[in-house]
Amino acid sequence: MSTIIRPEAPADIEAIRALTDAAFRNVEHGDQSEAAIVDGLREAGAMTLSLVAVGAGDAILGHVAFSPVSIESGETGWYGLGPVSVWPHCQRRGVGTALVAGGLRRLEERGASGCVLLGDPAFYARFGFGSDPALTYRGLPAQYVQRLVMVPPAPRGEITYHPAFEAAA
Ligand SMILES: CC(C)(COP(=O)(O)OP(=O)(O)OC[C@H]1O[C@@H](n2cnc3c(N)ncnc32)[C@H](O)[C@@H]1OP(=O)(O)O)[C@@H](O)C(=O)NCCC(=O)NCCS
């Protein structure tokens, strides 16, 4: 599938909401708050990057958000990846990989220090993410707290996401 990754445009917002809801509908670790998180980040002006994957006919296939995080050890220039969503009927065709890779490249171009996420190492290891027991998030098992260091040192301690992540479903 040929996929273009580009920043979201105002006309994409409804499609992003719908695909985020659909992608997380049957996800075990999701709570259906993900579309509200994306909206909240946008309203707060806290979406450092909001990228869409576009396929044939300009159809929106997927979306990823990146927003600033703070980490207890005080390093600056760190961002959180997520939510990331691909329409269920478009999954497993490389769209999610293109979104994550495109976002990380843009973060590096901005001079980011690194990126964190909460997710499955089976998907994120390919981008260079790894876990570090020194980095924590609300008692989540260490393997799901992933980080990619772009500019050392690696941060330590508890990660704090933007308040929009507290959105209730
Ligand atoms: C996770 C998600 C964004 C991946 O997008 P995608 O377009 O399906 O990903 P890709 O096609 O690029 O997949 C690349 C690889 O990751 C694997 N993969 C995809 N989703 C995975 C998952 N949830 N867990 C583990 N591996 C996964 C695929 O098997 C594929 O492996 P392969 O290259 O060895 O065949 C998509 O499945 C999705 O929207 N899921 C629901 C929402 C969600 O869980 N978001 C992430 C929260 S951490």
Side-chain angles (χ1 to χ4, degrees):
M1 184 184 294
S2 95
T3 306
I4 291 169
I5 307 299
R6 62 158 173 80
E8 74 164 39
D12 303 327
I13 290 174
E14 281 301 324
I16 291 170
R17 203 172 284 138
L19 88 87
T20 304
D21 270 339
F24 278 93
R25 190 154 297 140
N26 297 314
V27 171
E28 200 184 323
H29 55 78
D31 61 5
Q32 289 291 290
S33 66
E34 292 81 8
I37 291 171
V38 173
D39 285 341
L41 287 171
R42 186 184 296 108
E43 280 159 23
M47 237 164 2
T48 308
L49 292 173
S50 179
L51 302 175
V52 289
V54 181
D58 217 27
I60 306 289
L61 310 178
H63 172 260
V64 65
F66 291 83
S67 56
V69 294
S70 58
I71 305 180
E72 208 173 342
S73 53
E75 282 80 9
T76 56
W78 279 78
Y79 296 89
L81 185 165
V84 53
S85 311
V86 173
W87 276 110
H89 63 279
C90 300
Q91 290 177 7
R92 311 245 153 173
R93 295 188 214 164
V95 176
T97 296
L99 279 166
V100 173
L104 293 173
R105 185 174 54 73
R106 286 166 173 82
L107 278 189
E108 280 203 278
E109 286 168 1
R110 286 167 166 255
S113 302
C115 185
V116 296
L117 61 85
L118 311 172
D120 189 335
F123 179 53
Y124 294 105
R126 72 195 65 203
F127 307 103
F129 282 93
S131 65
D132 176 353
L135 197 60
T136 61
Y137 182 76
R138 298 186 177 179
L140 205 65
Q143 75 261 32
Y144 298 115
V145 182
Q146 302 268 308
R147 56 110 173 96
L148 174 62
V149 181
M150 294 172 180
V151 180
R156 302 171 63 85
E158 183 74 4
I159 301 166
T160 303
Y161 280 83
H162 187 275
F165 280 83
E166 306 302 329

